[in-house]
């Protein structure tokens, strides 16, 4: 299965493709983008593994990651979607995990909420899961606000390879 194309007022939520690779690699090499996601910019090799993994989730699980593209300009804004990354966290076992990351130039413009709302509406219509979870660094107040706007509520705090993280849950009504 390949990711469906979703559209919003300002965005194309597109299947990951090679057309997005260079922008993806540049985004993840930016220390601002990775400040709350591991804290260290990614090498091209690390980015490549995550890039193909985000696309590959679709054939294995029937859900995965998309690229977020601004409709008007065609600019790459980030990536995100739904996953199972086998993080070894009991709080995520058996749950679809939502995640998103945007280039700093896209911050503060409502793109994350808009993109992930489309993703979650797709999930509600096609996955049949009653709960989706996400993890966010406690210091990433912007992503916490996005999660809350999307209907996620704080569940607990835990720790993984990325450090201290908050676990959030969104229960479908």
């Amino acid at each position: 299965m390949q990711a469906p194309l979703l559209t919003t007022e300002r965005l194309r939520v597109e299947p990951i493709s090679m057309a997005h690779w260079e922008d993806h690699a540049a985004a993840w090499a930016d220390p601002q983008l990775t400040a709350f996601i591991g804290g260290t910019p990614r090498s091209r090799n690390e980015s490549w593994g995550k890039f193909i993994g985000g696309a590959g989730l679709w054939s294995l699980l029937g859900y995965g990651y998309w690229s977020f593209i601004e409709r008007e300009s065609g600019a790459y804004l980030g990536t995100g979607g739904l996953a199972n990354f086998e993080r070894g966290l009991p709080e995520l076992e058996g749950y679809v995990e939502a995640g998103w990351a945007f280039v700093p130039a896209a911050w503060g413009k409502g793109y994350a909420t808009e993109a992930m709302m489309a993703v979650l509406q797709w999930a509600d219509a096609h996955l049949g899961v009653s709960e989706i979870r996400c993890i966010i660094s406690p210091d990433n107040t912007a992503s916490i606000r996005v999660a809350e706007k999307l209907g996620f509520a704080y569940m607990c705090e835990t720790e993984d390879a990325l450090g201290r993280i908050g676990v959030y849950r969104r229960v479908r009504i």
Side-chain angles (χ1 to χ4, degrees), residues 104-145:
W107 294 355
K109 298 178 181 176
Y111 288 131
T113 302
E114 186 174 332
M116 290 305 296
M117 186 65 70
V119 167
L120 293 170
Q121 287 171 349
W122 178 87
D124 288 346
H126 297 281
L127 293 187
V129 297
S130 61
E131 184 174 326
I132 295 175
R133 296 189 177 176
C134 69
I135 58 172
I136 303 172
S137 166
D139 299 324
N140 192 345
T141 56
S143 268
I144 291 169
R145 280 193 307 274

Side-chain angles (χ1 to χ4, degrees), residues 76-122:
Y76 176 89
L77 300 178
T79 189
L82 307 165
N84 176 343
F85 290 127
E86 290 295 327
R87 295 181 190 277
L89 293 174
E91 298 86 356
L92 297 178
E93 286 179 22
Y95 295 96
V96 174
E97 178 185 345
W100 54 90
F102 283 79
V103 298
W107 294 355
K109 298 178 181 176
Y111 288 131
T113 302
E114 186 174 332
M116 290 305 296
M117 186 65 70
V119 167
L120 293 170
Q121 287 171 349
W122 178 87

Side-chain angles (χ1 to χ4, degrees), residues 14 19 24 28-29 38 56 88 90 104 108 125 148 151:
E14 295 185 357
H24 177 91
W28 285 94
E148 290 169 346

Side-chain angles (χ1 to χ4, degrees), residues 4-29:
L5 172 66
L6 308 175
T7 56
T8 70
E9 181 180 337
R10 300 178 297 159
L11 302 173
R12 288 191 325 267
V13 179
E14 295 185 357
I16 292 172
S17 74
M18 286 306 296
H20 309 134
W21 162 239
E22 290 299 334
D23 291 327
H24 177 91
W28 285 94

